[in-house]
């Protein structure tokens, strides 16, 4: 059982990534981060009036068959961009105009090979997690977890 527990812990670690909402259009080094989040979990804000112009998935590690999904319309309401993972250690997509309000990733597993992508694409009602950290270009980080929604929106 000891071994099994270790294995499960490793598996859990491997399937979590960091999701970012960036205020620039190029997945720059600053952004709002949902730290260590699992698949199909929205990272975003309720506000329609968001400043985010690009989204990224980072800290991918050994996961490879994943996609980054970007949304607008408040949290993960309306999907606007889908990005395949093509190697390297992050996935990025840009709005080139609209403002993102949410980002999530999904693991494709074997679904692509078996052609059941229609069901895999079906979105479900879900909760949205607010970013828990603000990362600045110089590497400094601020913990946002303790802010109220009003304080967060005022950032
Ligand atoms: C960004 O999203 C669009 C729309 O889904 C997609 O066609 C494009 O391939 C994506 N770009 C990247 C770099 O993944």
């Amino acid at each position: 059982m000891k071994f099994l527990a270790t294995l499960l812990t490793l598996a859990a670690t491997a399937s979590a990534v960091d999701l970012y909402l960036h205020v620039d259009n190029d997945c720059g080094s600053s952004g709002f981060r949902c730290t260590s989040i699992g698949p199909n979990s929205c990272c975003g804000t309720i506000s329609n009036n968001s400043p985010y112009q690009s989204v990224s998935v980072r800290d991918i590690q050994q996961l490879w068959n994943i996609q980054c999904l970007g949304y607008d319309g408040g949290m993960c309401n309306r999907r606007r961009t889908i990005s395949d993972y093509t190697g390297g250690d992050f996935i990025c997509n840009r709005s080139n105009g609209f403002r993102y309000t949410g980002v999530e990733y999904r693991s494709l597993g074997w679904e692509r090979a078996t052609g059941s992508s229609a069901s895999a694409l079906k979105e479900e009602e879900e909760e949205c997690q607010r970013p828990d950290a603000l990362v600045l270009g110089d590497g400094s980080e601020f913990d946002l977890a303790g802010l109220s929604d009003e304080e967060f929106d005022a950032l």
Side-chain angles (χ1 to χ4, degrees), residues 80-84 91-94:
R80 299 295 302 264
T81 60
I82 302 180
S83 316
D84 290 325
I91 305 175
C92 169
N93 211 331
R94 300 158 174 82

Side-chain angles (χ1 to χ4, degrees), residues 2 22-23 28 57 64 66 68 77 83 93 96 101 108-109 113-115 126 137 146:
K2 224 173 179 180
H22 301 276
V23 294
V57 178
W64 51 275
I66 64 172
C68 174
N77 274 331
S83 316
N93 211 331
N96 296 316
T101 57
L108 296 176
T114 58
E126 59 189 330

Side-chain angles (χ1 to χ4, degrees), residues 10-145:
L10 285 175
T13 308
S15 62
V17 301
D18 291 341
L19 298 179
Y20 282 81
L21 294 155
H22 301 276
V23 294
D24 66 8
N25 194 43
D26 204 25
C27 299
S29 50
S30 63
F32 290 83
R33 182 180 71 206
C34 284
T35 311
S36 192
I37 196 168
N40 311 312
S41 297
C42 181
C43 168
T45 53
I46 301 168
S47 173
N48 252 320
N49 182 16
S50 66
Y52 312 123
Q53 297 184 66
S54 56
V55 292
S56 65
V57 178
R58 293 171 193 268
D59 197 20
I60 292 173
Q61 301 170 7
Q62 55 269 76
L63 287 176
W64 51 275
N65 203 4
I66 64 172
Q67 287 179 323
C68 174
L69 310 176
Y71 298 82
D72 73 356
M75 304 190 287
C76 291
N77 274 331
R78 182 168 47 162
R79 190 164 64 220
R80 299 295 302 264
T81 60
I82 302 180
S83 316
D84 290 325
Y85 178 49
T86 54
D89 52 15
F90 73 105
I91 305 175
C92 169
N93 211 331
R94 300 158 174 82
S95 72
N96 296 316
F98 70 88
R99 300 299 168 95
Y100 287 103
T101 57
V103 55
E104 68 179 355
Y105 82 97
R106 68 178 172 209
S107 174
L108 296 176
W110 307 105
E111 285 153 357
R112 181 178 274 180
T114 58
S116 65
S117 56
S119 61
L121 286 171
K122 200 159 166 275
E123 296 301 314
E124 284 173 18
E125 196 85 13
E126 59 189 330
E127 294 199 0
C128 198
Q129 177 178 323
R130 207 181 64 186
D132 60 347
L134 170 62
V135 183
L136 298 184
D138 64 3
S140 54
E141 295 192 3
F142 297 90
D143 186 358
L144 305 179

